[in-house]
Amino acid sequence: MDTPDSTLALAAAGGDRAAFGVLVQRHYDRIHGLCWRLTGNVTEAEDLAQDVCASLPRRLQGFRGEAQFTTWLYRVVVNAAHDARRRAAVRSKAADGWGDWEKARQDEMAVEREAQDWLTAAMARLSPELRETVALVLGEELTQAEAGAVLGLSEGTIAWRMSEVKKKLKAMAAEEAMR
């Protein structure tokens, strides 16, 4: 004669591995079938059924035998499905926020690239003397005195060149804004 589910469940809750194995073998198809009906997806149903079976030893600690084992088991599966949906919703919400952040980051990078491209094109329109001054002062981050030493010019000349660069870049930007 078969051992009743409630007897097996109480034994499994007490650590009887054989009783646990019989319960899982006896009810796995029922667990999987309900998981499939709750998720509508074979892969999700398999994952959920595995999660339920993996959590059963812990959950059996709460089985008191007041209801039929199958009724209690159905509640465990339904609760696990609810938990899985909540976790998926949280992940989805987090992913949505991440997508918005990533989109903003990509937009910012595009603006920076556009500004860099404009600056590169504008620099090409400067005289070689102004270009080399800007390359040292802004590109290499040298002081005006250091740039003067490299170019063999006074610090005042470098300061004047940087002033000229600013004027020319402003004029180019204004010219393009009018287009």
Side-chain angles (χ1 to χ4, degrees), residues 35-42 44-45:
C35 290
W36 184 82
R37 285 186 287 287
L38 292 172
T39 63
N41 179 294
V42 173
E44 288 179 34

Side-chain angles (χ1 to χ4, degrees), residues 1 8-9 25-26 46 54 64 81 85-86 92 97 100 108 130-131 140 142 157 171 177-178:
M1 183 165 161
L8 290 170
Q25 184 177 11
R26 192 179 283 179
E46 289 170 356
R64 292 183 298 276
R85 277 196 300 278
R86 277 193 293 273
S92 176
D100 292 343
E108 184 178 313
L130 293 180
R131 249 193 333 261
E140 297 300 317
L142 298 181
T157 301
M178 294 178 141

Side-chain angles (χ1 to χ4, degrees), residues 5-84:
D5 289 338
S6 59
T7 304
L8 290 170
L10 293 171
D16 185 337
R17 292 181 182 197
F20 178 75
V22 171
L23 277 175
V24 170
Q25 184 177 11
R26 192 179 283 179
H27 294 285
Y28 183 80
D29 288 343
R30 178 175 283 132
I31 292 167
H32 185 271
L34 180 56
C35 290
W36 184 82
R37 285 186 287 287
L38 292 172
T39 63
N41 179 294
V42 173
T43 304
E44 288 179 34
E46 289 170 356
D47 289 345
L48 185 58
Q50 287 177 9
D51 289 347
V52 167
C53 290
S55 71
L56 269 181
R58 181 180 40 85
R59 292 182 184 269
L60 279 168
Q61 301 300 315
F63 179 73
R64 292 183 298 276
E66 295 170 355
Q68 282 189 343
F69 177 76
T70 53
T71 302
W72 176 86
L73 184 59
Y74 284 143
R75 175 55 39 208
V76 168
V77 173
V78 168
N79 287 342
H82 285 282
D83 291 346

